[in-house]
Amino acid sequence: NNGSLNDLVKYDDVKNEWVTIYDVYPENPYGVYGDLLIPNENNHPGTRTYAKGWTDKDDNIWIFGGTGLDENGASGRLNDLWKYDVISGAWTWMAGAPIINQIGNYGVKGITSASNVPGARTNPATWSDDDNLYLFGGAGYDSQGQVSYLNDLWKFNLTTNQWTWIDGSEINRQKGKYGTKGEYSTTNYPGGKTSALSWKDDNGSIWLFGGVGLAIHDAPQVTSDLWNYRPSTGEWAWISGPNFTSN
């Protein structure tokens, strides 16, 4: 049967084979959330697609959002954050809502709060360090309940289990502010976009490339701009590529 899935599969590079380590589809495709921050062997995310994820320093798996089924079986965009413990084999619902299509609760930029949470979205860019998970943009809900391309930057602290809005706008469809190529500034930022590629270099700075969204114009298209973000200073720099979208 064709549809979204919630199985978890790993590749054993010793045996050179795939191993299914968690699979409750199609017996229970809905999300089973349990209690927030409490691991339980009966918990699991609902089936979904276009989610993004991380691994932490202990090799645990984290996933966020996407389009899928909530605890009631309703289909839509999600903003739930899950952790899979590779030792115990248990899922834990860590943050976000157990129901679809939630708006973002941004709070004050740079201030951590238990009530802060990114809105439901698909295909954000993600990266991590030893202490935090980072999330940028995607296509989803802003603070006003509008759905489009986002350019907000979030940090989830692995100790406090709380989100912080650290850069970008709480309103979607923002055009990029490029500044001068190669120069870092706190007033620079990429436009709203989804499906961008991201990675972290040896110096801990973040690279963001392309995606579908906005550059300096209002019309969203495929982009090929390359950005670098320094978490230590909170500055973006436009490094390469055009500051306009394709036609």
Side-chain angles (χ1 to χ4, degrees):
N1 297 317
N2 181 42
S4 59
L5 301 166
N6 65 350
D7 53 344
L8 181 61
V9 184
K10 73 175 181 179
Y11 185 77
D12 188 320
D13 57 4
V14 175
K15 297 180 180 180
N16 291 321
E17 62 184 18
W18 288 100
V19 180
T20 298
I21 56 178
Y22 199 94
D23 184 13
V24 296
Y25 180 88
E27 289 82 5
N28 191 351
Y30 300 176
V32 177
Y33 287 76
D35 297 317
L36 191 66
L37 302 179
I38 305 299
N40 189 300
E41 63 180 8
N42 295 317
N43 294 348
H44 58 79
T47 61
R48 66 191 62 203
T49 187
Y50 304 122
K52 293 299 286 288
W54 310 258
T55 54
D56 63 25
K57 62 183 178 181
D58 298 317
D59 293 328
N60 298 308
I61 298 165
W62 296 72
I63 66 169
F64 174 87
T67 297
L69 302 181
D70 66 11
E71 66 177 0
N72 300 314
S75 179
R77 286 183 169 89
L78 297 156
N79 76 332
D80 49 353
L81 178 66
W82 289 86
K83 174 185 175 182
Y84 181 81
D85 188 304
V86 295
I87 302 300
S88 70
W91 284 102
T92 306
W93 169 37
M94 300 298 295
I99 54 177
I100 59 171
N101 300 341
Q102 297 294 298
I103 68 171
N105 188 2
Y106 287 75
V108 179
K109 189 176 290 186
I111 304 299
T112 302
S113 171
S115 62
N116 292 349
V117 64
R121 67 192 65 198
T122 58
N123 277 337
T126 57
W127 61 89
S128 63
D129 58 29
D130 286 346
D131 302 312
N132 304 286
L133 310 176
Y134 292 88
L135 179 150
F136 172 85
Y141 288 84
D142 64 10
S143 64
Q144 305 302 310
Q146 301 300 310
V147 179
S148 192
Y149 302 102
L150 297 156
N151 78 331
D152 48 353
L153 178 60
W154 291 84
K155 176 174 71 174
F156 183 83
N157 185 273
L158 296 171
T159 300
T160 65
N161 294 317
Q162 293 181 349
W163 285 104
T164 307
W165 170 38
I166 57 177
D167 202 11
S169 176
E170 62 181 308
I171 305 299
N172 61 33
R173 292 186 67 91
Q174 297 294 310
K175 293 182 290 185
K177 188 169 183 181
Y178 286 75
T180 302
K181 189 176 288 187
E183 294 187 5
Y184 291 84
S185 173
T186 56
T187 60
N188 294 345
Y189 48 79
K193 61 175 67 186
T194 185
S195 305
L197 295 177
S198 60
W199 62 97
K200 184 176 66 174
D201 65 24
D202 291 339
N203 297 318
S205 66
I206 309 307
W207 296 83
L208 186 75
F209 176 79
V212 177
L214 294 94
I216 60 172
H217 303 300
D218 291 326
Q221 294 283 347
V222 176
T223 64
S224 59
D225 47 351
L226 176 66
W227 291 83
N228 183 242
Y229 179 75
R230 292 174 173 171
S232 59
T233 62
E235 295 176 311
W236 284 101
W238 168 38
I239 301 298
S240 183
N243 61 354
F244 53 87
T245 56
S246 66
N247 295 317

